[in-house]
């Protein structure tokens, strides 16, 4: 037999192009259901991919692919390059899956608005009818949630933001001078990546333990199966409180994933700085709250009177807390610098009476029963204006900072400004990140509750329990034993 004849004989024996109508020959799917992340109605989903395999020895023809809901379905399907949504009834025909081969199906969905405060589930089925008459299907489902919208808006009159639905913010949200914006418990503000908030008046966040007021980005889907976009930093801008702003009260606020967290800003162009006196109202009261995972600074306080208590400020690429001048008290706070995505992270705490070569009077910076730590052995830094640059009559002694009953990662100081403090010891088996219950740098999940053996436990002054009888999660601080430093009990 010639070589050409042998080639023809082998080709005739090759059943690569042989197809079967045997009803036992079916297809296998990479999953039997495609579940989308919860979506804001009218906003398209990310694309989900579904593989369809033929593990058999003969090819299988698909006579028809359709959506059970037909043209009314909100789901969009592209199968092997054909867009079903371009057809009148979401139906396409005639596909082949050769032996031991596969085809790809890509699915998307946009849930229509239905004017409801409650989320609702939408489902459908993708049905494949084989040439043999066998029907196979994949379930499709998504939960849709209606939202309220604030687009590049300036609020010029007192306003209460509702917790009934998420509030999507596009562009910049501005609170005008002398205007108060109140947020109900459970209010959720979802900011687009170019959006943030500037407050010239004041904001009042009336969160509770069960229903915090949330400030976050607007991506509510996943970048990977284990990682939602919401755990990434830089998903939106942040909150700026101008020097015109005073009386901001944020209780049980959850501020995370921004380019920055909260900035109490310097005077704007044409404005004059007003020295803080005993009568100056607080610009910010931040209690029982969270400022976490920012691409820049977490909390920046310029010349600000503020009270921060029972609050976690953690994981900033910039400094977690940057304090320049002002009059500030931190009580039962956890300031933790374990930003995982860049080794060039800033300090946990920076205190200064100088910025851009100008003096900023630091009337008071008290840290009571706080945790201030991070990956580094020294995460507490300061900058002080040279004495020859001080204004007349001002003494360098006006640094005015005090640390009382704190747990700190810093060089052990000899100053009387540090009293009854415990210092993070690298030789201790619970040093730095080992002090805490959960430090999952892969999935970006953290729990800064101190573990057994941590020197954070039981070192706080119990005299402050009267004002703060519960930790940030509602656990009781016992009057019969010293509480933990920081905002978390065990």
């Amino acid at each position: 037999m010639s070589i050409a004849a042998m080639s023809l004989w082998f080709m005739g024996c090759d059943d690569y192009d042989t197809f079967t109508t045997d009803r036992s020959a079916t297809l296998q799917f990479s999953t039997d259901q495609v579940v989308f992340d919860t979506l804001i109605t009218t906003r398209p989903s990310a694309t989900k991919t579904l593989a369809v395999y033929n593990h058999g020895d003969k090819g299988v023809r698909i006579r028809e692919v359709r959506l059970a809901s037909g043209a009314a379905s909100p789901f969009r399907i592209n199968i092997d390059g054909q867009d079903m949504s371009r057809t009148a009834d979401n139906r396409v025909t005639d596909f082949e899956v050769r032996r031991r081969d596969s085809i790809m199906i890509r699915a998307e969905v946009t849930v229509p608005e239905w004017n409801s405060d409650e989320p609702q589930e939408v489902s459908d089925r993708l049905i494949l009818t084989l040439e043999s008459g066998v029907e196979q299907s994949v379930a499709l489902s998504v939960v849709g949630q209606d939202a309220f919208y604030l687009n590049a808006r300036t609020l010029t009159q007192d306003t209460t933001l509702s917790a009934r639905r998420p509030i999507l913010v596009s562009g910049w949200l501005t609170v005008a001078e002398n205007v108060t914006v109140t947020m109900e418990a459970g209010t959720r503000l979802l900011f687009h990546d170019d959006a943030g908030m500037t407050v010239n008046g004041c904001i009042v966040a009336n969160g509770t333990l069960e229903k915090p007021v949330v400030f976050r980005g607007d991506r509510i889907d996943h970048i990977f199966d284990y990682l939602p976009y919401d755990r990434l930093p830089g998903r939106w801008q942040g909150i700026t409180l101008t020097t015109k702003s005073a009386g901001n009260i944020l209780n049980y606020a959850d501020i995370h994933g921004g380019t920055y967290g909260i900035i109490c800003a310097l005077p704007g162009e044409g404005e004059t700085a007003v020295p803080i006196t005993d009568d100056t109202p607080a610009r910010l009261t931040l209690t029982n709250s969270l400022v976490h995972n920012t691409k820049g600074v977490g909390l920046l306080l310029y010349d600000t009177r503020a009270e921060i208590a029972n609050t976690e400020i953690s994981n900033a690429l910039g400094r977690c807390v940057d304090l320049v001048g002002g009059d500030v008290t931190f009580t039962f706070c956890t300031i933790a610098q374990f930003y995982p995505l860049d080794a060039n992270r800033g300090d946990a705490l920076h205190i200064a009476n100088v910025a851009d070569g100008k003096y900023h009077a630091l009337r008071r910076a008290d840290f009571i029963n706080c945790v201030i730590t991070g990956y580094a052995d020294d995460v507490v830094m300061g900058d002080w204006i040279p004495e020859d640059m001080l204004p007349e009559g001002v003494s360098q002694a006006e640094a005015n900072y005090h640390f009382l009953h704190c747990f700190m990662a810093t060089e052990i100081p000899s100053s009387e400004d540090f009293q009854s403090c415990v210092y993070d010891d690298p030789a201790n088996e619970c040093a730095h990140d080992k002090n805490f219950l959960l430090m999952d740098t892969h999935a970006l999940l953290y729990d800064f509750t101190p573990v057994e053996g941590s020197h954070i436990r039981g070192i706080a002054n119990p005299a402050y329990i009267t004002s703060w009888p519960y930790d940030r999660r509602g656990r009781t601080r016992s009057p019969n034993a010293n509480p933990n430093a920081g905002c978390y009990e065990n």
Side-chain angles (χ1 to χ4, degrees):
M1 182 181 294
S2 68
I3 292 175
M6 289 177 63
S7 298
L8 290 172
W9 182 79
F10 280 119
M11 290 177 62
C13 294
D14 188 351
D15 60 358
Y16 182 74
D17 290 323
T18 301
F19 292 85
T20 181
T21 57
D22 188 332
R23 293 181 63 85
S24 66
T26 57
L27 301 171
Q28 288 74 47
F29 302 97
S30 55
T31 180
D32 60 358
Q33 58 179 346
V34 177
V35 180
F36 289 86
D37 297 305
T38 298
L39 288 179
I40 300 298
T41 57
T42 74
R43 303 190 71 177
S45 71
T47 302
K48 295 277 190 178
T49 300
L50 171 71
V52 182
Y53 302 103
N54 176 12
H55 295 308
D57 292 328
K58 294 185 179 181
V60 173
R61 288 192 174 96
I62 305 171
R63 187 169 64 203
E64 176 185 84
V65 183
R66 62 187 174 89
L67 284 164
S69 299
S73 178
F75 294 93
R76 298 182 299 280
I77 303 297
N78 184 300
I79 177 169
D80 205 27
Q82 288 197 44
D83 186 354
M84 287 174 52
S85 64
R86 295 182 179 274
T87 65
D89 53 359
N90 267 326
R91 184 191 307 261
V92 290
T93 59
D94 300 329
F95 292 91
E96 295 179 347
V97 188
R98 299 179 184 275
R99 67 183 181 94
R100 298 171 189 165
D101 202 353
S102 63
I103 60 174
M104 304 302 292
I105 295 176
R106 291 177 173 82
E108 298 175 352
V109 61
T110 301
V111 181
E113 190 172 18
W114 42 50
N115 195 28
S116 171
D117 294 340
E118 299 301 320
Q120 298 184 35
E121 184 177 5
V122 177
S123 60
D124 205 343
R125 296 195 73 82
L126 179 66
I127 301 171
L128 287 73
T129 304
L130 308 185
E131 189 177 37
S132 63
V134 171
E135 284 193 349
Q136 295 185 257
S137 66
V138 175
L140 308 171
S141 66
V142 63
V143 174
Q145 168 72 68
D146 280 340
F148 297 123
Y149 295 87
L150 289 172
N151 300 321
R153 183 80 61 86
T154 296
L155 302 176
T156 57
Q157 59 185 9
D158 291 353
T159 304
T160 297
L161 299 182
S162 172
R164 288 165 41 211
R165 304 180 190 178
I167 300 169
L168 264 65
V169 182
S170 300
W172 217 261
L173 179 61
T174 301
V175 179
E177 195 171 356
N178 300 318
V179 169
T180 298
V181 174
T182 303
M183 302 166 193
E184 298 175 344
T187 298
R188 293 159 290 167
L189 288 158
L190 279 57
F191 293 84
H192 198 53
D193 55 6
D194 62 347
M197 192 172 193
T198 295
V199 183
N200 298 302
C202 81
I203 55 176
V204 177
N206 291 320
T208 66
L209 175 62
E210 295 78 15
K211 295 182 178 180
V213 173
V214 178
F215 302 78
R216 50 158 290 179
D218 66 347
R219 288 292 297 265
I220 57 178
D221 53 330
H222 284 65
I223 184 171
F224 304 116
D225 288 344
Y226 66 89
L227 184 63
Y229 277 98
D230 187 43
R231 292 190 204 144
L232 298 176
R235 304 309 309 172
W236 59 292
Q237 296 302 302
I239 302 169
T240 299
L241 309 179
T242 72
T243 54
K244 299 175 183 177
S245 178
N248 298 282
I249 300 173
L250 282 72
N251 186 42
Y252 285 106
D254 178 349
I255 303 163
H256 66 269
T259 300
Y260 55 92
I262 301 174
I263 292 177
C264 290
L266 288 168
E269 187 175 350
E271 297 177 354
T272 303
V274 178
I276 295 176
T277 69
D278 292 341
D279 297 325
T280 301
R283 199 186 322 186
L284 174 64
T285 301
L286 181 67
T287 54
N288 302 308
S289 292
L290 173 70
V291 181
H292 176 67
N293 199 25
T294 56
K295 204 171 184 179
V297 67
L299 177 63
L300 174 55
L301 304 174
Y302 279 114
D303 298 330
T304 297
R305 170 162 279 167
E307 179 181 357
I308 319 295
N310 238 21
T311 287
E312 175 191 323
I313 306 167
S314 57
N315 292 18
L317 177 56
R319 294 158 175 156
C320 288
V321 175
D322 196 351
L323 175 60
V324 182
D327 186 331
V328 179
T329 300
F330 288 76
T331 309
F332 281 119
C333 289
T334 296
I335 304 172
Q337 179 54 302
F338 296 99
Y339 186 84
L341 303 177
D342 194 324
N344 293 317
R345 63 187 77 85
D347 307 314
L349 172 64
H350 177 258
I351 305 175
N353 65 4
V354 60
D356 297 328
K358 297 179 181 178
Y359 173 68
H360 296 259
L362 183 64
R363 287 172 53 93
R364 177 177 57 167
D366 287 350
F367 295 82
I368 304 163
N369 294 350
C370 290
V371 170
I372 308 168
T373 190
Y375 280 124
D377 291 337
D378 192 351
V379 296
V380 181
M381 298 294 173
D383 284 311
W384 312 106
I385 197 166
E387 290 188 14
D388 60 358
M389 294 180 62
L390 285 169
E392 185 177 352
V394 174
S395 167
Q396 181 67 51
E398 293 183 2
N400 290 338
Y401 54 78
H402 305 92
F403 296 84
L404 310 174
H405 294 267
C406 291
F407 178 88
M408 304 177 67
T410 190
E411 295 181 3
I412 300 177
S414 57
S415 168
E416 293 182 357
D417 296 320
F418 297 77
Q419 297 183 15
S420 301
C421 292
V422 175
Y423 298 94
D424 204 345
D425 182 1
N428 189 307
E429 64 179 10
C430 284
H432 301 297
D433 55 322
K434 301 298 190 300
N435 280 292
F436 304 109
L437 186 62
L438 178 63
M439 303 289 291
D440 187 341
T441 57
H442 180 65
L444 302 184
L445 289 170
Y446 299 85
D447 185 337
F448 291 105
T449 301
V451 298
E452 185 175 356
S454 170
H455 292 170
I456 294 171
R457 295 172 69 161
I459 69 166
N461 186 340
Y464 293 86
I465 288 178
T466 303
S467 298
W468 302 103
Y470 304 101
D471 79 349
R472 198 181 80 80
R473 293 204 181 101
R475 300 185 184 109
T476 300
R477 291 188 171 106
S478 172
N480 301 317
N482 281 10
N484 297 339
C487 60
Y488 297 113
E489 288 295 310
N490 298 91

